Amino acid sequence: MTTKDIIKPENLVYAKPSVMNNNTMHYCPGCSHGVIHKLIAEVIGEMGIQDKAIGVAPVGCAVFAYNYLDIDWHEAAHGRAPAVATGIKRLLPDNYVFTYQGDGDLAAIGTAETIHACNRGENIAIFFVNNGIYGMTGGQMAPTTLLGMKTSTCPSGRQEDLNGFPLPITTLVAQLEGTRYVTRQSVHTANAVKKAKKAIRKALENSAEGKGTSFVEFVSTCNAGWKMSPAEANTWMEKNMIPVYPIGDLKDK
Amino acid sequence: MEQDIKLLKGNEAVAEAAIRCGCDGYFGYPITPQSEIMETLMQLEPWKTTGMVVLQAESEVAAINMVYGGAGCGKRVMTSSSSPGMSLKQEGLSYMAGADLPGLVVSVMRGGPGLGTIQSSQADYFQTVKGGGHGDYKMITLAPASVQEMADFTVLGFELAFKYNIVSVVLADGIIGQMMEKVQLPPYQKRLTNDEIREKYPWATLGKPANRKPNVITSLELDSALMEQRNLNLQKKYKEIEKNEVRYEEIACEDAEYLLVAFGSSARICQKTVELAREKGIKLGLFRPITLFPFPTNEIYAYTNTVKAILTVELNAGQMVEDVRLAVNGTIPVEHYGRMGGIVPTAEEILEVTEKLIAK
Ligand SMILES: Cc1ncc(C[n+]2csc(CCOP(=O)(O)OP(=O)(O)O)c2C)c(N)n1
Ligand code: SF4
Ligand SMILES: [Mg+2]
């Protein structure tokens, strides 16, 4: 087959999701954020809810998420996305409202907003990108940084006596009556990507049914912050992150 | 028919007026001396009548961010708090200013700093009028001096907020929030439908239809040239507000040789001082700024030809006095008299201070 044949519409097996625009992404090559953006865009397109979806972007590497998905967005203050989403969803109960947050945003500065939105059972989807580090500000320790893991603010590795333990926020919110669907996913293999996409769809569908909060964690890489190649980061994540943050559903009511 | 004239606390009047003026949502966190606002709303259950949402948030931080979310959808949303809680809201207020969002905040001041006292104070003038959060921004600030004005300014605050896409603050204090007076409540106004919001506020995020670009509520702009332009646009808006929205009240000012300048509860006391002074033959007037931003700068300056001196009376260590001094620009003496920590001066006490100033 020549290139000309390959690009004929009838031979296309894969395309950029229509909800995603042509803006050049600012993410580092190999970063999990880009894949997760694409999956959310695909699901919104397939569900046909582009006109009803409202995203809330965090402060973190995904602060510019609104530049890539052609839907209405709010950019929230650091950690406040679940409160912003609460305000939106309470006033627009027929819309699909989701937050997209990193670990620093969701599980450090925004812990109260996260726990209480989940505990009230806000009918929103929370997409949580756990890369165990503050990517945006240059690789400082996050609440989810593993013990022994080196970052710029724990250069000899996270120590429990100094820094406390990695915070299993997903396990915590699964305990709350207000959450309906809590799951941990990843996007580092083709198979994982397929499962993660299903989880995103379920979370968004749930949010329309009014039965509580859906919470999807993506155990992720930050190859730049971890100072590894994308391939090394994937291997490191599998070996070190997933044992602490095991993949699978924690709750599905 | 429901009664339109009621005997209410200032805080209760805010709640009643909010429901009546088509407010879509209230988000708050309890703190004295303003908790009656949310309590009254919860008792009135407006979600069953007008559809207004009322939600107790987990903190003032969460409450103001819920307001940010609702406001971005073009909804009429509000919060209320008192001094320690207002400190926590500053982040959200700065973000709202940066994103040009309209909203209403009722701030019922108490004494500080720190946990301070639950008694009345006007010590958050600077925090409100000079922009307590980060960045160059301003909020329209209305200072009620009666329960009637608590109701009226709730309505006016929303109107101005949506006229300029800005946060309006009703800056009251514990006395105005807690005292009971007769109040004429505003007429009922329908809440806007989502279609009406789409029409009136094309920037609102109600979901992106196929025929328009995404709406994004954000204060972020990394290109310095564009960020400076955003700032210039804000300043232009503030200038416009300064031109159009100055409000004030003058009591016995026509022939005044001396002027008291006071806002809110202090102005109520000063009104009595003016009466006492007039009985003694002292030509004393009271100038009451109603809008603290925009401040009635020119209107105060106009008195510098006829008035010999000004005394500002505030429940603080001297905050508004700085704006009065800027207004008169050195032409006549301006002094300050303030009580703090929840102490409220008597009309006689203020008269004594005024007489000393006159004797100088
Ligand atoms: C109030 C406030 N504090 C601190 C910051 C600086 N800051 C920006 S992003 C960030 C951490 C983001 O980390 P995370 O949420 O894990 O997102 P990632 O970049 O890793 O995706 C911090 C501390 C800020 N913008 N606002
Ligand atoms: S710094 Fe890390 S999280 Fe941020 S874009 Fe780069 S790889 Fe992704
Ligand atoms: Mg992170």
Side-chain angles (χ1 to χ4, degrees):
Chain A
M1 239 193 253
T2 65
T3 313
K4 261 192 176 164
D5 292 326
I6 292 170
I7 63 169
K8 277 186 186 155
E10 59 269 32
N11 289 331
L12 273 182
V13 290
Y14 183 82
K16 183 171 70 66
S18 61
V19 174
M20 202 149 221
N21 57 37
N22 289 328
N23 292 340
T24 309
M25 276 200 175
H26 70 286
Y27 297 112
C28 308
C31 173
S32 307
H33 277 302
V35 183
I36 300 165
H37 278 34
K38 192 209 70 165
L39 293 180
I40 295 173
E42 273 182 5
V43 171
I44 289 172
E46 287 164 17
M47 285 174 70
I49 57 167
Q50 190 171 7
D51 58 342
K52 286 203 150 183
I54 302 174
V56 184
V59 175
C61 275
V63 69
F64 282 125
Y66 59 74
N67 277 344
Y68 311 124
L69 267 62
D70 277 344
I71 57 170
D72 282 355
W73 283 93
H74 283 213
E75 204 295 301
H78 196 18
R80 315 299 177 218
V84 173
T86 297
I88 299 171
K89 181 68 182 183
R90 292 275 175 152
L91 289 154
L92 298 175
D94 297 333
N95 284 64
Y96 291 81
V97 182
F98 69 89
T99 72
Y100 184 107
Q101 302 174 258
D103 37 90
D105 193 84
L106 179 140
I109 195 165
T111 311
E113 285 79 4
T114 304
I115 297 274
H116 285 279
C118 287
N119 194 50
R120 285 190 303 265
E122 297 297 339
N123 295 305
I124 58 173
I126 295 179
F127 298 129
F128 166 38
V129 180
N130 177 10
N131 55 17
I133 202 161
Y134 284 10
M136 182 185 219
T137 38
Q140 296 83 6
M141 186 184 69
T144 50
T145 296
L146 303 181
L147 288 176
M149 184 174 166
K150 289 180 181 161
T151 74
S152 67
T153 51
C154 51
S156 37
R158 181 178 190 153
Q159 299 165 37
E160 61 203 53
D161 53 351
L162 183 64
N163 311 117
F165 299 89
L167 181 65
I169 188 88
T170 307
T171 314
L172 265 169
V173 300
Q175 308 301 310
L176 304 174
E177 286 294 335
T179 50
R180 176 176 183 190
Y181 175 52
V182 180
T183 186
R184 222 183 253 121
Q185 302 290 333
S186 70
V187 293
H188 68 301
T189 64
N191 204 19
V193 167
K194 267 194 212 154
K195 288 188 185 153
K197 184 173 167 183
K198 277 197 187 138
I200 291 168
R201 177 148 192 158
K202 188 170 203 164
L204 284 173
E205 283 173 351
N206 281 350
S207 71
E209 284 172 28
K211 289 181 184 160
T213 312
S214 292
F215 188 103
V216 184
E217 171 179 345
F218 303 91
V219 181
S220 297
T221 62
C222 168
N223 44 285
W226 296 359
K227 302 191 177 16
M228 293 177 197
S229 71
E232 281 166 0
N234 274 351
T235 313
W236 192 90
M237 182 184 92
E238 228 174 293
K239 196 161 155 251
N240 299 284
M241 291 273 282
I242 290 180
V244 179
Y245 304 110
I247 306 299
D249 290 352
L250 287 87
K251 183 180 196 175
D252 191 0
K253 281 208 274 201
Chain B
M1 250 292 291
E2 210 187 319
Q3 284 266 273
D4 286 339
I5 296 178
K6 287 187 182 175
L7 181 68
L8 292 175
K9 281 189 179 189
N11 290 334
E12 294 165 345
V14 168
E16 298 253 9
I19 296 170
R20 284 166 174 256
C21 77
C23 178
D24 294 300
Y26 171 95
F27 304 92
Y29 187 82
I31 183 168
T32 308
Q34 62 77 55
S35 296
E36 295 88 353
I37 297 178
M38 184 163 45
E39 287 169 352
T40 306
L41 286 169
M42 289 296 187
Q43 266 159 23
L44 293 173
E45 303 186 320
W47 52 91
K48 291 182 179 166
T49 52
T50 69
M52 175 183 173
V53 169
V54 188
L55 186 64
Q56 178 168 340
E58 64 269 31
S59 67
E60 288 86 352
V61 175
I64 190 67
N65 281 285
M66 291 172 187
V67 168
Y68 179 96
C73 305
K75 302 282 180 176
R76 289 187 151 211
V77 283
M78 67 180 291
T79 184
S80 65
S81 193
S82 179
S83 311
M86 285 307 300
S87 291
L88 285 182
K89 288 192 198 290
Q90 298 305 319
E91 174 195 51
L93 292 171
S94 170
Y95 273 72
M96 287 185 75
D100 289 305
L101 290 182
L104 180 72
V105 179
V106 179
S107 167
V108 185
M109 292 178 278
R110 59 188 246 182
L115 198 49
T117 169
I118 59 172
Q119 302 300 330
S120 200
S121 161
Q122 296 180 318
D124 302 337
Y125 178 95
F126 282 155
Q127 185 197 50
T128 316
V129 174
K130 307 292 176 187
H134 58 287
D136 275 318
Y137 75 93
K138 290 187 185 295
M139 302 180 291
I140 291 179
T141 306
L142 301 162
S146 63
V147 174
Q148 185 62 55
E149 285 188 340
M150 283 292 260
D152 293 349
F153 292 175
T154 299
V155 183
L156 177 64
F158 269 126
E159 272 167 23
L160 294 175
F162 277 86
K163 182 169 171 192
Y164 295 100
N165 288 343
I166 193 171
V167 172
S168 294
V169 182
V170 175
L171 187 66
D173 58 66
I175 296 171
I176 304 293
Q178 294 296 326
M179 73 183 183
M180 289 188 95
E181 286 182 320
K182 195 175 80 172
V183 51
Q184 165 89 49
L185 292 169
Y188 277 97
Q189 243 173 284
K190 273 221 170 79
R191 292 174 50 229
L192 295 183
T193 64
N194 287 349
D195 282 339
E196 285 167 337
I197 291 174
R198 272 188 201 98
E199 177 90 25
K200 272 185 102 152
Y201 313 124
W203 47 264
T205 59
L206 295 145
K208 187 198 94 69
N211 61 0
R212 73 151 161 81
K213 287 198 168 136
N215 282 342
V216 179
I217 304 299
T218 181
S219 56
L220 177 64
E221 181 50 72
L222 293 184
D223 181 325
S224 295
L226 295 179
M227 192 63 216
E228 182 174 52
Q229 193 51 54
R230 271 182 103 122
N231 269 282
L232 290 172
N233 294 347
L234 281 179
Q235 295 307 317
K236 207 170 126 197
K237 170 160 86 181
Y238 302 148
K239 281 270 171 306
E240 195 64 19
I241 291 169
E242 282 172 347
K243 210 174 79 197
N244 302 334
E245 306 299 346
V246 171
R247 288 167 171 79
Y248 55 93
E249 187 188 12
E250 292 155 308
I251 295 170
C253 285
E254 315 79 50
D255 62 341
E257 291 176 357
Y258 296 91
L259 209 57
L260 297 176
V261 181
F263 68 96
S265 59
S266 301
R268 282 295 280 270
I269 305 163
C270 286
Q271 212 170 318
K272 182 74 188 163
T273 306
V274 169
E275 280 172 31
L276 295 175
R278 292 274 165 178
E279 280 166 22
K280 283 184 143 184
I282 303 169
K283 290 191 171 169
L284 184 66
L286 167 63
F287 186 98
R288 175 170 80 94
I290 291 175
T291 48
L292 301 180
F293 174 76
F295 195 71
T297 305
N298 298 333
E299 292 72 11
I300 290 176
Y301 181 75
Y303 280 102
T304 55
N305 288 325
T306 50
V307 159
K308 292 181 184 146
I310 290 178
L311 179 70
T312 72
V313 181
E314 306 173 64
L315 302 183
N316 60 39
Q319 300 193 13
M320 181 189 65
V321 63
E322 293 192 2
D323 286 330
V324 177
R325 287 202 176 112
L326 280 174
V328 308
N329 199 17
T331 49
I332 55 170
V334 177
E335 292 203 4
H336 164 79
Y337 184 66
R339 299 297 303 263
M340 290 164 280
I343 304 284
V344 178
T346 62
E348 290 78 10
E349 186 180 340
I350 298 167
L351 181 59
E352 218 172 285
V353 178
T354 310
E355 285 179 310
K356 271 189 205 147
L357 174 68
I358 293 171
K360 260 190 192 171

